[in-house]
Amino acid sequence: MAVRLGFVGTGGIANRHLACAQNSTDMEIVGTCDVILDRAQEAADKYGGNAYRDFDDLYDSESPDAIVVCTPPFAHGDIEEEAAKRGIHIFVEKPVAISMEMAARVLDAVREHDVITQVGYMFRLSDPIVKARQMLAERAIAMVQAHYYMPGLPNKGWWTKLELGGGQLVEQATHMLDLGRFLAGDVRSVIGKVSTVHDWTPPAGYEEPEGGLVSVKEGFEIPDTTALILEYESGAMGTLSCSLVPQVSWDNGFKVVAEGALVTIDGANASWQSEDGEFEEAAPSDWYDTVLTQFVDAVQGKGEATIPYEEGVKSLAISLAGYESVNRGGAAVELAEILPDGL
Ligand SMILES: NC(=O)c1ccc[n+]([C@@H]2O[C@H](COP(=O)([O-])OP(=O)(O)OC[C@H]3O[C@@H](n4cnc5c(N)ncnc54)[C@H](O)[C@@H]3O)[C@@H](O)[C@H]2O)c1
């Protein structure tokens, strides 16, 4: 039986998951929801299902088996909590929340109602990265050096406000922090520094384009450049550098230094040199969709969703610890101070 899916938040990334669902015989799109009803309607017209403005109307009218939540970081909490109460399984895009209070509330609900969850950290399911992790599992990791460089600011209002999007560290670099945990295990403490280097003030007479990346933006209030130092539980050290200062290229990835091996991760691709030889592999063209298809398989009882909500909470905590360190003038912040009890 196809899994009956409801989509909540039908902006940018939702289109990717909607297209995946439309092309799969294991998924049926029964409803779309967006606070901008026209967007929900547009998605319904293109991909299927009925359009709603309120998520609880979607839940009540369509009784979906599962939802795919693609709302901005600030717009989480009730959407997932109400779904969990109704026994609706939850796929949620990263980051899972804007704050630890919000994430902890949803975590309680998904545990209490025992629904299947999956967070959209899709890099974890790229084959070359999985192989790199297997190779690293037999070695002591010394250094996890991650970066996320974006050549400008996504032209969305919530991106410019810390309390709505969480800035690049929460919103985007979370991919790298999560992948660092996937490769090297949990993080014990974080030191953070932030800066704003670029002048984001629009010139007089500036006409804002629709969408895309921009190099000036009214109301820009987030750091544009961030650096973290991470101490892993294993004793490995890590760094994260991220910046959205306008330049010419998009670049995200890692170097991992381990005993006897040096790994490079470039987007979803991986390569390494080790004493056993060299390896290089590009991700297959459909690698991105695996994070949703694996979740749907799990809802159908055909396997496990390997990136449950707890993982999203732990990865979010690293970003929040980074900001907390900034607030404390660069002092190290223990993850245990940030995480809910028991994680
Ligand atoms: N995994 C990835 O690679 C990836 C890529 C892009 C975005 N994302 C994540 O997906 C999320 C959404 O990003 P986006 O670029 O699609 O944003 P977007 O702004 O393009 O779309 C978000 C949509 O959610 C809607 N919305 C807001 N509050 C809502 C609510 N309470 N109920 C229903 N709809 C609501 C908005 O109207 C908007 O249409 C972000 O957290 C982002 O980090 C993940």
Side-chain angles (χ1 to χ4, degrees):
M1 282 269 284
V3 171
R4 305 177 73 258
L5 287 177
F7 282 75
V8 184
T10 55
I13 194 61
N15 281 278
R16 184 138 201 170
H17 297 309
L18 281 158
C20 171
Q22 190 183 41
N23 291 327
S24 166
T25 51
D26 287 325
M27 305 184 215
E28 180 190 354
I29 300 164
V30 296
T32 58
C33 161
D34 200 294
V35 285
I36 302 174
L37 184 58
D38 284 352
R39 278 193 196 164
Q41 190 60 59
E42 206 178 307
D45 292 346
K46 188 167 175 191
Y47 300 107
N50 297 309
Y52 299 88
R53 189 193 307 271
D54 297 321
F55 61 83
D56 40 10
D57 289 342
L58 163 63
Y59 301 168
D60 290 342
S61 303
E62 305 293 345
S63 300
D65 301 314
I67 50 164
V68 178
V69 185
C70 299
T71 54
F74 73 93
H76 289 287
D78 293 349
I79 292 168
E80 295 88 350
E81 206 176 7
E82 285 302 316
K85 280 184 192 162
R86 293 162 208 239
I88 299 171
H89 305 295
I90 301 168
F91 176 100
V92 58
E93 264 304 344
K94 43 53 64 176
V96 293
I98 191 76
S99 67
M100 200 41 69
E101 292 71 25
M102 185 188 266
R105 181 158 68 87
V106 173
L107 180 62
D108 284 348
V110 301
R111 282 179 164 171
E112 183 184 345
H113 300 284
D114 201 21
V115 291
I116 297 167
T117 55
Q118 174 97 316
V119 184
Y121 286 118
M122 72 287 177
F123 288 112
R124 283 193 186 209
L125 297 174
S126 163
D127 268 352
I129 294 178
V130 171
K131 287 177 185 155
R133 183 182 192 235
Q134 285 161 356
M135 186 275 292
L136 287 168
E138 293 155 20
R139 302 167 190 275
I141 294 177
M143 188 75 202
V144 181
Q145 178 203 332
H147 65 273
Y148 206 126
Y149 303 133
M150 186 170 54
L153 171 81
N155 193 14
K156 305 180 190 223
W158 56 265
W159 246 96
T160 63
K161 307 284 177 209
L162 219 46
E163 68 278 13
L164 298 181
Q168 191 184 16
L169 179 59
V170 164
E171 207 285 336
Q172 189 178 56
T174 186
H175 272 304
M176 301 296 102
L177 298 171
D178 180 72
L179 209 44
R181 288 188 49 245
F182 183 63
L183 296 171
D186 282 336
V187 168
R188 177 177 296 140
S189 72
V190 181
I191 291 173
K193 289 279 184 185
V194 298
S195 178
T196 299
V197 173
H198 178 66
D199 182 359
W200 292 89
T201 316
Y206 172 69
E207 282 189 32
E208 188 167 275
E210 287 256 324
L213 293 181
V214 292
S215 57
V216 291
K217 182 82 180 172
E218 198 66 60
F220 184 94
E221 289 175 8
I222 59 174
D224 63 25
T225 301
T226 300
L228 301 185
I229 297 175
L230 312 177
E231 177 197 16
Y232 285 82
E233 297 276 5
S234 67
M237 298 300 296
T239 60
L240 169 80
S241 316
C242 64
S243 181
L244 44 81
V245 165
Q247 36 85 14
V248 292
S249 182
W250 198 295
D251 194 336
N252 61 269
F254 281 85
K255 290 280 184 191
V256 183
V257 180
E259 276 179 341
L262 178 63
V263 178
T264 302
I265 291 175
D266 179 11
N269 311 318
S271 62
W272 65 79
Q273 297 102 42
S274 76
E275 70 261 299
D276 301 327
E278 296 194 358
F279 171 93
E280 183 167 1
E281 193 172 292
S285 58
D286 63 350
W287 73 276
Y288 195 104
D289 291 337
T290 314
V291 70
L292 181 60
T293 56
Q294 186 194 65
F295 168 70
V296 167
D297 283 352
V299 172
Q300 289 178 316
K302 293 194 291 198
E304 187 195 352
T306 57
I307 319 171
Y309 196 82
E310 286 84 349
E311 293 297 302
V313 179
K314 285 183 167 189
S315 294
L316 171 67
I318 304 174
S319 300
L320 297 178
Y323 282 144
E324 183 57 24
S325 169
V326 172
N327 290 340
R328 296 185 196 173
V333 173
E334 302 277 322
L335 267 285
E337 296 180 53
I338 304 272
L339 283 165
D341 288 346
L343 270 196

